[in-house]
Amino acid sequence: MLELRLVQGSLLKKVLEAMKDLVTDANFDCSATGFSLQAMDSSHVALVALLLRSEGFEHYRCDRNITMGMNLNNVSKLLKCAGNDDIITIKADDGGDTVTFMFENPKQDKISDFEMKLMDLDSEHLGIPDAEYHAIVRMPSLEFSRICKDLSSIGDTVVISVTKEGIKFSTRGDIGNANIVCRQNTTVDKPEEATVIQMNEAVSLTFALRYLNSFTKATSLSETVTISLSSELPLVAEYKIADMGYIKFYLAPKIED
Amino acid sequence: GLHQVRLFRFFFVL
């Protein structure tokens, strides 16, 4: 038996919005640790890893580990029926082939439930080795989103370089080229407005902007994003989900033949 | 030129 009650239901709505364009079908894994998901996009270039820790739920019952295969677009459609202030409860029976989403409005005078058929998915769960990153940059998530959007109107790929000077985003296209540099800036009113650069070694990697733009759908989940880079490794963009966990996106670089 | 690498190059299938 599985029963997860999330008071801040809007978080789940945002999580689905952040993932549904990148991944079509995915297995949600439920264990004593929490509610999690790992899935790749269809071209196996990008990966999303979600964790909502059990402590973040008002009520968390998971008698045995359950894997639930779902079409994320369908889950997103169901969650659009929940109000932003609704409490969301996810229920499933062990060995069952359905999941139920229940929505309660704050006044507790409207209760909706939606039952959805689960899918049997063959998923390739990837082992991600721990890595030492050459550079870790924390910056406002809205700024990162703006940069990816602006540069994609000029080019298809971005070179992200981190030096002592800052983090530089460069692109080139038919109309010309563009460079945006964000310097470390910790003299801000609020810590979430800071750009903080931790660099062990200068790094420069090329990525497809299309995927980075897709990752920025998670912007509403967190005011900051942490970008980790190492030469010869996928980029990690992490959006922390307050008190609950994270959504991390991995993106393989483009490299010289 | 540049080519897009897949994640399998860095991560292993469990």
Side-chain angles (χ1 to χ4, degrees), chain A residues 164-198:
Chain A
K164 274 183 276 179
E165 310 305 316
I167 179 166
K168 183 166 87 169
F169 302 86
S170 309
T171 193
R172 57 178 63 244
D174 294 340
I175 62 167
N177 40 39
N179 298 291
I180 301 174
V181 178
C182 296
R183 292 210 179 95
Q184 166 144 297
N185 177 14
T186 51
T187 56
V188 288
D189 294 339
K190 294 185 228 153
E192 57 271 22
E193 291 168 356
T195 297
V196 184
I197 296 169
Q198 258 178 275

Side-chain angles (χ1 to χ4, degrees), chain A residues 43-46 125-127 232 234 252-255 257, chain B:
Chain A
S43 56
H44 301 143
V45 166
H125 211 82
L126 295 188
E232 299 294 311
K254 289 189 153 210
I255 60 170
D257 278 328
Chain B
L2 290 171
H3 81 279
Q4 178 64 62
V5 185
R6 301 206 300 171
L7 288 168
F8 300 120
R9 181 182 172 122
F10 312 97
F11 302 156
F12 51 92
V13 179
L14 289 175

Side-chain angles (χ1 to χ4, degrees), chain A residues 31 124 254:
Chain A
S31 71
E124 282 168 313
K254 289 189 153 210

